[in-house]
């Protein structure tokens, strides 16, 4: 009986211990960089290609620049913040022992 009563408490302390590890903090820092750097870089690339397209005369180069702009918007501005929200949800809710890391 004591093994069944103590086992959930042990799992919870290991979850709390994970939140204090360097790995949890590293994951948080990497995805914070992606969350804030992704839209910044994506926005700069999208704006740069939009401005540069007005000076380009060749249709094939214009098509490549439009594709670069579209990819910058998709991956930099839309996907990067969504990916960090998913990882933040995982760190807050799906940690071993069901303990929130509070990131």
């Amino acid at each position: 009986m004591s093994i069944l009563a103590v086992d959930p408490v042990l799992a919870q302390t290991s979850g709390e211990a994970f939140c204090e590890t360097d790995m949890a903090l590293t994951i948080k820092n990497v995805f914070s960089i992606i969350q804030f750097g992704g839209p910044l870089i994506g926005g700069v690339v999208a704006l740069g290609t939009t401005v540069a397209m007005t000076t380009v005369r060749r249709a094939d180069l214009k098509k490549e620049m439009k594709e670069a702009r579209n990819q910058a918007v998709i991956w930099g501005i839309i996907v990067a913040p969504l990916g960090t929200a998913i990882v933040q949800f995982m760190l807050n809710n799906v940690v071993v022992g069901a303990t929130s890391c509070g990131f």
Side-chain angles (χ1 to χ4, degrees):
M1 179 70 172
S2 67
I3 292 174
L4 295 175
V6 174
D7 200 22
V9 174
L10 291 175
Q12 188 172 5
T13 57
S14 67
E16 290 173 358
F18 172 76
C19 292
E20 299 299 321
T21 63
D22 290 338
M23 177 62 96
L25 295 175
T26 301
I27 291 170
K28 176 189 173 270
N29 291 340
V30 165
F31 283 96
S32 292
I33 290 171
I34 293 171
Q35 182 178 15
F36 298 114
L40 180 66
I41 293 170
V44 168
V45 170
L47 180 64
T49 56
T50 302
V51 171
M53 278 192 298
T54 59
T55 63
V56 173
R57 294 179 187 236
R58 292 189 358 229
D60 57 340
L61 185 58
K62 245 184 205 184
K63 185 176 179 182
E64 288 179 21
M65 293 178 83
K66 283 182 184 178
E67 183 64 28
R69 180 193 62 199
N70 293 341
Q71 290 297 318
V73 169
I74 290 170
W75 290 102
I77 298 173
I78 297 170
V79 174
L82 284 178
T84 54
I86 291 168
V87 170
Q88 186 174 18
F89 172 79
M90 288 173 54
L91 282 174
N92 286 333
N93 299 309
V94 192
V95 176
V96 177
T99 302
S100 174
C101 286
F103 291 135

